[in-house]
Amino acid sequence: MAERKDLDKINQQDDTKAELEHEKASNARSRDKKTLRVGGYSVLACLIVLAICVVVNILADKLPTSVASLDLSSNKVYSLSDESRDLVKGLEEDVTIYWLVQHGKEDVPVEKLLERYESAGKHIAVKRIDPDVYPNFAEQYSVSGTVYNNSLVIEKGNASRYIPYQDMYSSSNNGSSMTFAGESEITAALRYVTSGEHPVIYSLTGHGEAVLEGTFRSSVEGQNFTVTNLSLLTEGAVPQDGAFLLINTPSTDISSEEKGMILNYLKEGGKLLLVTDVAQDGTEFTNINEVMADYGVTSRNGIVLEQNPANYASNMPYFLLPDLDAAHAVSAPLANGGYRVLLPIAQGLTVEDAPRESVSVSKLMTTSDSAFSKTSWMEMSTYEKEEGDTDGPFALAVAVTEPVENGETDIVWISSGAILDETVNEQVSGGNQDFFLNAVTWLYHSDEEGGPSTTIHAKAFDYGQLTMSSATGSALAVLMIFVIPLGFILTGVVVRNRRKHR
């Protein structure tokens, strides 16, 4: 009997053990199913995220560069101005930009800028031409000599314009700064090939006038103007078919007959860009002054000296930094853009009572109230105001407008020839050149609704540097190399342990 009880007890234990093993197996199968289900969800989630990333990348690749790429440079080197965008959007015919560049030698600013142009309008197409594959490609556009990588050819129909790579960059004389003029060059070329107009600027000769040259001449020609010399002694009159008459710092006065020709030209709706200088030999410019006096503007003898340090440079009170009119089309782009104009040695201009109600005069550049004109400047021994000097303030550049029967008379008078000096221009990052070009375009477009198209300023490459102490650098190195990676490792260990003990 006892043996039977022992046997039943043993069987009961075996059954309990079997049940426990069965339960363990069941639990294990349940855990495996749960793990498989969770793993399946994880794989599915990864596949969904991967699919989303692929789709987003495909869609992003289809977006225009202007949307998909951000220009984070401080001077917006890779961005287009409103003027360029409006020009490209307004194109009605296809224009091709040929990019002459070998593979692997692409200039990044040029590449990014071309992407912006191509995405700005449907009529711009950029095509890469490898000079190794097509060595004679540029010759069909009358380009001779060495063609450097990243040069451009802009073509529309039978019209074309070549932009050498070196013309898109310029540096100061000491090499301390570099500017990128890619946009101004390309936009000027687009204007050239899309416009049948190439207006003529008649430059007066016969009085020792300065020759418009260097970057000033090339920039004027880049706006599609042609500069042609004019002798009134042989012509007998100012041609009416020109954009305007340029009188550039004459050394001697014009004659009475020439004064009459110029006044007749202006009264018929002519345009005049007058640049004068202070005559070191005491030459009087009586007839030129009488032309301008007819429009209510006169000049003072001597040179202007400033007493306000904010209005002169280099500790020289005659190196003038005038205030710019923020409302007029000629000076507003510079005033609103924070640029300056530098005029070493300038005459003071005074706006008198208008001789006619129809004459309107705007002061484009002005001195401070504390400026004065030093009459005996040739024997100047002090920068202080002396007896006989004339109190300011003065205008240093004016714009004159008068409606006439045949249109509108427009004049810009700048009282310092130094505005066209290359070295002076560099000291204000091209501000002098831009003022001059704005005057050129305003005179030509002033009769048009909407006013002139202003020039596009070259953009400087200014890279800021982050300076830090050795201790700060070491701390950042420890943070990046040890602390942050260790934090990721510890976070992974904690997450793994939590999942393991669920």
Side-chain angles (χ1 to χ4, degrees), residues 26-219:
S26 179
N27 289 337
R29 286 194 297 273
S30 178
R31 284 196 301 269
D32 291 341
K33 290 181 180 179
K34 183 179 179 180
T35 300
L36 182 63
R37 186 167 57 254
V38 172
Y41 290 153
S42 298
V43 172
L44 181 60
C46 290
L47 291 175
I48 292 174
V49 171
L50 181 62
I52 292 174
C53 290
V54 171
V55 172
V56 169
N57 274 279
I58 292 174
L59 294 177
D61 188 58
K62 300 297 182 182
L63 292 173
T65 302
S66 57
V67 176
S69 177
L70 297 178
D71 184 1
L72 300 179
S73 60
S74 59
N75 290 325
K76 300 299 179 184
V77 174
Y78 309 121
S79 300
L80 296 184
S81 64
D82 292 338
E83 180 184 354
S84 295
R85 280 195 295 270
D86 292 342
L87 174 64
V88 173
K89 288 179 181 178
L91 293 177
E92 297 180 354
E93 298 182 67
D94 293 340
V95 177
T96 303
I97 301 178
Y98 293 105
W99 184 16
L100 312 180
V101 60
Q102 295 170 306
H103 179 71
K105 295 186 177 181
E106 298 85 353
D107 181 80
V108 174
V110 173
E111 181 178 23
K112 296 295 183 184
L113 191 62
L114 291 177
E115 290 175 356
R116 299 283 179 178
Y117 273 99
E118 192 168 28
S119 62
K122 62 182 179 180
H123 288 292
I124 291 284
V126 177
K127 295 184 179 180
R128 293 174 58 121
I129 300 295
D130 191 330
D132 291 337
V133 181
Y134 303 98
N136 299 321
F137 179 83
E139 291 182 2
Q140 61 185 303
Y141 299 100
S142 301
V143 178
S144 58
T146 303
V147 177
Y148 293 95
N149 271 309
N150 296 288
S151 296
L152 305 173
V153 173
I154 317 294
E155 180 188 52
K156 185 189 85 68
N158 294 326
S160 65
R161 189 81 174 254
Y162 171 61
I163 304 176
Y165 174 64
Q166 56 269 30
D167 285 4
M168 289 185 272
Y169 286 92
S170 63
S171 60
S172 60
N173 287 334
N174 59 10
S176 61
S177 63
M178 176 74 71
T179 58
F180 179 60
E183 183 189 358
S184 59
E185 290 287 340
I186 294 174
T187 297
L190 288 173
R191 289 198 199 102
Y192 179 84
V193 300
T194 57
S195 173
E197 297 181 355
H198 302 288
V200 176
I201 297 173
Y202 287 106
S203 182
L204 188 66
T205 60
H207 315 88
E209 291 86 353
V211 177
L212 188 65
E213 56 187 359
T215 58
F216 286 90
R217 188 183 187 100
S218 61
S219 60

Side-chain angles (χ1 to χ4, degrees), residues 273-277 343 349 364-365 396-398 412-417 419 435-436 439:
L273 178 52
L274 174 62
V275 182
T276 57
D277 241 340
L343 300 179
L349 303 180
L364 304 180
M365 292 192 281
L396 302 176
V398 296
V412 172
W413 185 5
I414 304 170
S415 66
S416 174
I419 195 169
F435 186 93
F436 180 75

Side-chain angles (χ1 to χ4, degrees), residues 167 235 331 440 445 498:
D167 285 4
E235 284 291 327
S331 50
V440 168
H445 293 281
R498 286 183 177 178

Side-chain angles (χ1 to χ4, degrees), residues 323-345:
D323 296 323
L324 300 171
D325 182 1
H328 197 278
V330 173
S331 50
L334 293 166
N336 297 329
Y339 294 98
R340 302 301 298 266
V341 173
L342 178 60
L343 300 179
I345 305 180

Side-chain angles (χ1 to χ4, degrees), residues 231-246:
S231 171
L232 288 178
L233 296 178
T234 57
E235 284 291 327
V238 180
Q240 293 288 339
D241 61 349
F244 59 85
L245 174 66
L246 170 64

Side-chain angles (χ1 to χ4, degrees), residues 138-442:
E139 291 182 2
Q140 61 185 303
Y141 299 100
S142 301
V143 178
S144 58
T146 303
V147 177
Y148 293 95
N149 271 309
N150 296 288
S151 296
L152 305 173
V153 173
I154 317 294
E155 180 188 52
K156 185 189 85 68
N158 294 326
S160 65
R161 189 81 174 254
Y162 171 61
I163 304 176
Y165 174 64
Q166 56 269 30
D167 285 4
M168 289 185 272
Y169 286 92
S170 63
S171 60
S172 60
N173 287 334
N174 59 10
S176 61
S177 63
M178 176 74 71
T179 58
F180 179 60
E183 183 189 358
S184 59
E185 290 287 340
I186 294 174
T187 297
L190 288 173
R191 289 198 199 102
Y192 179 84
V193 300
T194 57
S195 173
E197 297 181 355
H198 302 288
V200 176
I201 297 173
Y202 287 106
S203 182
L204 188 66
T205 60
H207 315 88
E209 291 86 353
V211 177
L212 188 65
E213 56 187 359
T215 58
F216 286 90
R217 188 183 187 100
S218 61
S219 60
V220 167
E221 292 174 344
Q223 301 293 321
N224 296 340
F225 292 95
T226 299
V227 181
T228 300
N229 291 335
L230 171 69
S231 171
L232 288 178
L233 296 178
T234 57
E235 284 291 327
V238 180
Q240 293 288 339
D241 61 349
F244 59 85
L245 174 66
L246 170 64
I247 303 178
N248 185 11
T249 58
S251 300
T252 59
D253 196 16
I254 59 176
S255 66
S256 298
E257 291 77 12
E258 289 171 315
K259 179 189 74 173
M261 296 177 198
I262 292 173
L263 284 173
N264 288 336
Y265 166 70
L266 292 175
K267 290 176 181 178
E268 293 294 321
K271 321 288 182 182
L272 171 63
L273 178 52
L274 174 62
V275 182
T276 57
D277 241 340
V278 182
Q280 297 187 14
D281 59 0
T283 299
E284 296 287 339
F285 295 92
T286 304
N287 289 316
I288 290 178
N289 287 329
E290 288 181 0
V291 169
M292 294 310 302
D294 194 58
Y295 290 90
V297 186
T298 59
S299 64
R300 295 290 179 181
N301 291 328
I303 66 171
V304 175
L305 296 181
E306 271 285 1
Q307 298 186 85
N308 184 351
N311 288 95
Y312 65 85
S314 304
N315 294 320
M316 290 182 282
Y318 53 89
F319 267 52
L320 307 179
L321 292 170
D323 296 323
L324 300 171
D325 182 1
H328 197 278
V330 173
S331 50
L334 293 166
N336 297 329
Y339 294 98
R340 302 301 298 266
V341 173
L342 178 60
L343 300 179
I345 305 180
Q347 286 179 295
L349 303 180
T350 302
V351 179
E352 309 288 352
D353 293 335
R356 298 175 294 281
E357 291 185 358
S358 56
V359 174
S360 174
V361 181
S362 298
K363 299 177 182 179
L364 304 180
M365 292 192 281
T366 54
T367 67
S368 72
D369 292 341
S370 61
F372 62 92
S373 179
K374 184 168 283 293
T375 305
S376 58
W377 67 278
M378 291 290 292
E379 296 84 26
M380 182 172 58
S381 59
T382 177
Y383 293 151
E384 300 298 324
K385 187 174 180 295
E386 300 176 300
E387 185 178 354
D389 294 340
T390 307
D391 289 326
F394 302 104
L396 302 176
V398 296
V400 180
T401 300
E402 182 181 23
V404 294
E405 183 178 353
N406 297 325
E408 183 177 279
T409 299
D410 295 292
I411 304 170
V412 172
W413 185 5
I414 304 170
S415 66
S416 174
I419 195 169
L420 300 178
D421 185 274
E422 300 276 4
T423 303
V424 174
N425 183 52
E426 285 184 1
Q427 295 181 53
V428 284
S429 302
N432 285 14
Q433 179 178 311
D434 285 353
F435 186 93
F436 180 75
L437 284 178
N438 287 349
V440 168
T441 55
W442 179 76

